[in-house]
Amino acid sequence: MASLVTDYCTLCNDDGTSTEAVRWCIECEVFLCTDCEKHHKKSRLSKAHNTMSTKDYHNLPKFMQEISSQCRDHKKKYELYCSFHACPCCVTCITDKHKKCQEMKPLSDILKQVKSSASVQLFEKDLNDVKENLEEIIKYLNRRINTSTIQKTKAAEQVRSMRKSIDDFLDKLEQKVLDDLESKQSKLKSKMNTLQQQLKTQANQMSQLQSEFSKITQYATELQMYCGLREIEITTSEAVKHLEDLKSGGQLDEVNLELSISSKLQSILKDVKSFGDININTSPFTLQLKAVRKDQAQHLVHTTPTIEQIKPSLLRQLTIPQDRKNINIYACTILPDGKYLILNNQFDNSNLLLFSNDGMFMREVVKFKSRSWDSCFIRTNTVAVALGSNKQIALVDVEKNEIFKSINISHNCNSVASDGQLLVVSSKEKSTIVNLNDMSHTILEGVVAYCVALFKGNIYGTNYGKNKVCCYKSTGETLWTFMHDDIVSPRGITLDKNGFVYVVSMSNNRVVVVSPDGKTCKTILSEADGIKSPYVIDIDRESGIMIVSSKISDDDDIRNYKTAFVYKL
């Protein structure tokens, strides 16, 4: 929406006059009133300058208005373009930040291509695709929020249901023991009541005899007295004997009711520390998003280097710990965070070793009980490892140091490559494409390769015995085959972001780059650079970092690699 503010002529304002501006000079970056615009058009220095109305200027997004034609560091006009850094430069920038940059072009030549670039037409699609992806993810997150709310409600219901089940169970146990208590106390009470009644009867009899005793002594004859006392003696003796029988028979023992709480029930209070556990389980993100180009702006200007311009510069050498000097490097992988992953293959086992960005050994990620032949990065901390004659691919979580899935293949697994969606597994007989989304398999009889790489849907492979480098369609048809005297016993293969194919030529100690069309090649590293029997190679396409294995000992075992060199392309 156009701004409602009033713009004043920059030139008039410098003279202390506030005159409303009508135009904006794109190159001078000043507002012009009607009079100043006329002089501006007549001036020899500015008559060719492009201008726009102030209304159109304010229709530009804010960040576009802030883009200047002058270098912020040196306050000079941009005149050149650095292809390596993909940025405009002033003349001072060349001696300041771009001393080593070889590909400098006139900015005017570059800008002529911008609006006519095919990439410009794709930007709207890219924006729409990114927006749709974001909207899909927002919908996905809303669904996940709703799902988590439902899961919370369900879990709460399970807690309450379990609590009710426990309460009902305890109520039953409680009622059972109370009923037992009532029954036993009732029987005990009845027994004591019966005994009590018997004793009361005897006590009443004793009381009656006791009250009548004085009358007997006063009025009875001698014979009556004698016989009466005899009866009283018998009755008293029977009462005494009854009491003694009750005492000796235990009927007068003290009987108490006692409750013994179940030890298992008591253990609940002692041993049960939690009603349950709330766990958060994570599964891989499966939402299918639209593929969007990365670094779109760099495609506005075609800056693909020629094969002659590819000159790697050595950055570092991996530092192998003393206790791992017999390392045999069968795969080198550059992770997205810049760390390096090495597949160390021994006689009867193998392991993945992690090195830091500066080439220092960090830790062993995982160990295999058999030999492994290749590895590649897939996505989100996941690495695939080819387990050779075991006919399996192991998926390893580098962060958790664990193998979390195995994929069975119908043939030997000599090499593996992935673009995050597909997994290509090659052998000397045939190859297999695994769709990582649904785990479906497609056999490619025509793709025979010792090592493979994936780039923009095509499969690239090396044939060690025939000194060939091949490019295949994803359906298995051969697009091109390349052979050259510089390529002898090719093994590892990878590609850079421009589609150049990098091959390690083991028997003549070289790293050779092949053009994207498979017609020309160039040796970029050789024995003069310290390369000996190179076996594997990998390139991080985003950063242009390349890693190559190399032997540094002189023993006869050509697979006995001791280190790897890291280069910047």
Side-chain angles (χ1 to χ4, degrees):
M1 181 179 291
S3 172
L4 299 178
V5 299
T6 301
D7 299 304
Y8 294 99
C9 177
T10 305
L11 302 181
C12 292
N13 193 48
D14 291 342
D15 295 334
T17 305
S18 296
T19 308
E20 184 175 352
V22 295
R23 306 290 292 179
W24 165 262
C25 178
I26 297 172
E27 299 183 46
C28 296
E29 298 179 359
V30 295
F31 285 108
L32 301 170
C33 65
T34 303
D35 292 338
C36 289
E37 183 195 11
K38 293 178 181 178
H39 294 297
H40 191 266
K41 286 183 177 180
K42 293 179 181 180
S43 172
R44 182 173 61 85
L45 296 177
S46 60
K47 64 181 181 180
H49 287 187
N50 293 320
T51 63
M52 65 170 65
S53 68
T54 54
K55 179 181 179 181
D56 290 344
Y57 172 79
H58 285 294
N59 278 330
L60 288 172
K62 183 67 175 178
F63 77 95
M64 297 289 285
Q65 295 177 13
E66 295 174 354
I67 297 175
S68 175
S69 61
Q70 289 189 344
C71 173
R72 293 183 179 181
D73 295 332
H74 307 113
K75 307 304 179 184
K76 293 184 178 180
K77 186 176 181 179
Y78 288 129
E79 296 180 1
L80 299 168
Y81 179 84
C82 176
S83 299
F84 183 79
H85 291 95
C87 69
C89 311
C90 70
V91 291
T92 307
C93 289
I94 300 175
T95 57
D96 186 3
K97 298 180 179 179
H98 301 269
K99 290 181 180 179
K100 296 182 180 180
C101 299
Q102 300 177 356
E103 193 66 21
M104 304 294 289
K105 299 179 181 180
L107 182 60
S108 58
D109 293 346
I110 300 299
L111 296 182
K112 289 177 183 177
Q113 306 173 28
V114 172
K115 288 191 176 181
S116 61
S117 170
S119 294
V120 173
Q121 301 174 12
L122 296 175
F123 263 81
E124 185 175 3
K125 180 179 182 301
D126 290 335
L127 289 171
N128 288 334
D129 289 345
V130 170
K131 181 184 177 183
E132 287 182 17
N133 284 344
L134 290 171
E135 289 174 347
E136 283 298 316
I137 293 175
I138 290 169
K139 291 178 183 177
Y140 166 79
L141 291 176
N142 281 333
R143 291 196 298 270
R144 294 307 309 159
I145 291 171
N146 292 335
T147 299
S148 68
T149 302
I150 294 171
Q151 290 170 343
K152 173 190 171 185
T153 302
K154 183 179 178 180
E157 290 174 352
Q158 289 176 319
V159 170
R160 287 190 287 268
S161 176
M162 178 57 71
R163 173 61 183 268
K164 186 177 184 305
S165 297
I166 293 173
D167 287 345
D168 291 345
F169 182 68
L170 289 177
D171 287 343
K172 290 179 182 178
L173 294 181
E174 178 187 26
Q175 191 59 50
K176 183 178 179 180
V177 74
L178 290 176
D179 290 344
D180 189 34
L181 177 63
E182 177 66 27
S183 174
K184 289 180 178 177
Q185 195 270 340
S186 178
K187 290 178 182 179
L188 184 60
K189 180 181 177 182
S190 175
K191 186 177 180 180
M192 288 190 291
N193 282 337
T194 300
L195 181 59
Q196 188 183 49
Q197 284 301 117
Q198 293 175 355
L199 293 176
K200 282 183 178 180
T201 300
Q202 287 185 335
N204 290 335
Q205 188 178 10
M206 292 300 106
S207 296
Q208 184 178 356
L209 289 175
Q210 188 180 21
S211 64
E212 292 177 349
F213 189 80
S214 60
K215 295 179 180 180
I216 292 172
T217 56
Q218 184 177 357
Y219 302 109
T221 66
E222 292 298 330
L223 178 60
Q224 288 174 329
M225 186 70 175
Y226 173 79
C227 293
L229 289 176
R230 184 65 181 164
E231 289 294 329
I232 292 174
E233 181 184 12
I234 293 172
T235 302
T236 303
S237 296
E238 288 177 353
V240 171
K241 185 177 183 304
H242 185 218
L243 289 175
E244 288 177 350
D245 289 343
L246 289 176
K247 184 177 179 181
S248 61
Q251 290 175 280
L252 296 179
D253 290 347
E254 185 175 315
V255 180
N256 298 309
L257 285 173
E258 294 181 354
L259 173 64
S260 177
I261 299 295
S262 168
S263 60
K264 292 184 178 180
L265 193 59
Q266 289 178 325
S267 69
I268 294 177
L269 300 176
K270 178 181 178 182
D271 299 333
V272 178
K273 304 299 183 183
S274 170
F275 200 92
D277 296 317
I278 305 300
N279 299 311
I280 297 178
N281 298 317
T282 303
S283 57
F285 177 74
T286 58
L287 188 65
Q288 295 299 309
L289 301 177
K290 291 187 176 181
V292 181
R293 297 175 302 144
K294 296 181 180 179
D295 302 324
Q296 297 96 322
Q298 70 181 10
H299 300 294
L300 288 171
V301 181
H302 186 69
T303 59
T304 302
T306 65
I307 197 168
E308 294 301 325
Q309 293 173 312
I310 299 176
K311 298 177 182 179
S313 57
L314 181 65
L315 293 180
R316 66 185 60 87
Q317 175 182 327
L318 296 193
T319 302
I320 309 299
Q322 192 65 36
D323 60 344
R324 297 181 184 270
K325 286 298 182 181
N326 63 338
I327 186 173
N328 294 333
I329 301 178
Y330 268 55
C332 298
T333 303
I334 304 175
L335 300 177
D337 60 2
K339 295 184 178 69
Y340 310 100
L341 200 61
I342 299 301
L343 179 63
N344 174 28
N345 196 358
Q346 298 298 326
F347 178 73
D348 58 355
N349 65 77
S350 55
N351 54 10
L352 284 173
L353 306 177
L354 186 65
F355 290 76
S356 64
N357 302 58
D358 56 4
M360 302 301 294
F361 176 72
M362 295 177 64
R363 56 182 166 85
E364 178 182 86
V365 176
V366 70
K367 188 170 184 177
F368 302 93
K369 295 181 180 179
S370 61
R371 303 184 77 183
S372 304
W373 295 92
D374 194 15
S375 66
C376 72
F377 176 78
I378 296 181
R379 60 191 177 197
T380 319
N381 300 324
T382 300
V383 171
V385 179
L387 302 183
S389 58
N390 287 350
K391 299 182 180 181
Q392 277 190 336
I393 298 296
L395 299 187
V396 178
D397 189 314
V398 178
E399 289 299 317
K400 295 181 179 179
N401 303 329
E402 65 179 14
I403 303 169
F404 66 89
K405 186 178 182 64
S406 293
I407 303 174
N408 294 320
I409 304 297
S410 63
H411 53 76
N412 286 348
C413 303
N414 292 348
S415 182
V416 63
S418 177
D419 60 3
Q421 301 297 320
L422 300 178
L423 191 69
V424 176
V425 185
S426 71
S427 72
K428 302 174 185 177
E429 301 85 27
K430 54 188 173 182
S431 298
T432 297
I433 291 181
V434 180
N435 187 319
L436 295 172
N437 295 316
D438 58 16
M439 289 298 166
S440 60
H441 291 207
T442 303
I443 302 295
L444 302 177
E445 298 287 351
V447 179
V448 177
Y450 283 67
C451 293
V452 287
L454 264 175
F455 183 72
K456 292 186 176 180
N458 291 335
I459 303 169
Y460 298 78
T462 56
N463 190 316
Y464 175 80
K466 297 183 179 181
N467 299 328
K468 289 183 179 180
V469 179
C470 300
C471 175
Y472 307 89
K473 291 183 179 180
S474 59
T475 51
E477 293 91 346
T478 302
L479 289 175
W480 54 256
T481 298
F482 183 76
M483 299 177 69
H484 194 276
D485 291 342
D486 285 358
I487 300 176
V488 185
S489 305
R491 285 284 187 177
I493 184 171
T494 189
L495 291 91
D496 66 16
K497 66 180 180 180
N498 297 309
F500 286 99
V501 186
Y502 295 72
V503 180
V504 290
S505 181
M506 193 175 71
S507 294
N508 61 352
N509 306 315
R510 296 187 180 198
V511 175
V512 180
V513 59
V514 180
S515 61
D517 58 6
K519 293 182 178 180
T520 61
C521 73
K522 173 192 174 185
T523 295
I524 57 173
L525 292 172
S526 65
E527 196 167 356
D529 302 295
I531 298 297
K532 295 181 181 179
S533 299
Y535 198 74
V536 290
I537 187 171
D538 188 38
I539 291 175
D540 178 62
R541 292 169 190 162
E542 295 294 324
S543 64
I545 299 298
M546 178 176 73
I547 185 170
V548 181
S549 67
S550 177
K551 185 177 72 171
I552 57 175
S553 72
D554 293 324
D555 58 48
D556 294 331
D557 185 359
I558 61 173
R559 292 188 178 88
N560 190 18
Y561 297 105
K562 299 292 185 179
T563 191
F565 296 113
V566 180
Y567 299 87
K568 173 68 177 179
L569 295 175

